[in-house]
Amino acid sequence: QVQLVESGGGLVQPGGSLRLSCAASGSSFSIATMGWFRQAPGKERELVARITNEGNTNYADSVKGRFTISRDNAKNTVYLQMNTLQSEDTAVYYCHVYARLSAWSNYWGKGTQVTVAS
């Protein structure tokens, strides 16, 4: 199994910043893409950002220019720097990893709450 541990969520005022981290651990696995999804109350889970092994990134249109995804391959860790946060960014943020143990599979973190409110 691949375990994902997220950190960095919390309450922030509109216009503020937060940085999410997600560390992957396990035995003898290879990671392809790492990313973040989010799910707001009453809405479907949606992609926020993801990054490949080669560092190629893609973002949801709603976060382009405000969020930055990065990864440290040596630490199997992915980060999401979130700036100029808006109330619409309030959601549970889930770390996602596409990794291979015996076969390629999707792995999810438990989620971390991000609340943007004054």
Side-chain angles (χ1 to χ4, degrees):
Q1 270 286 17
V2 176
Q3 290 82 38
L4 302 178
V5 178
E6 301 138 328
S7 61
L11 173 65
V12 64
Q13 292 186 343
S17 298
L18 282 175
R19 188 190 194 212
L20 305 183
S21 300
C22 172
S25 63
S27 299
S28 301
F29 62 95
S30 300
I31 296 177
T33 61
M34 304 183 81
W36 294 91
F37 287 69
R38 68 185 181 187
Q39 188 167 18
K43 294 187 176 181
E44 294 185 354
R45 190 174 296 189
E46 63 175 0
L47 172 69
V48 177
R50 61 185 164 203
I51 183 168
T52 68
N53 248 339
E54 294 78 20
N56 298 314
T57 59
N58 64 292
Y59 297 89
D61 287 343
S62 60
V63 307
K64 283 181 181 177
R66 300 188 297 122
F67 291 10
T68 302
I69 190 169
S70 61
R71 65 190 279 178
D72 184 334
N73 290 333
K75 297 180 179 180
N76 289 326
T77 300
V78 62
Y79 307 95
L80 185 67
Q81 178 66 43
M82 304 185 292
N83 298 329
T84 320
L85 283 160
Q86 306 166 354
S87 58
E88 295 76 21
D89 298 315
T90 296
V92 178
Y93 284 69
Y94 296 91
C95 178
H96 169 265
V97 164
Y98 186 60
R100 181 182 65 187
L101 289 171
S102 57
W104 288 102
S105 299
N106 294 298
Y107 296 91
W108 294 91
K110 293 182 179 180
T112 184
Q113 177 70 46
V114 171
T115 302
V116 184
S118 55

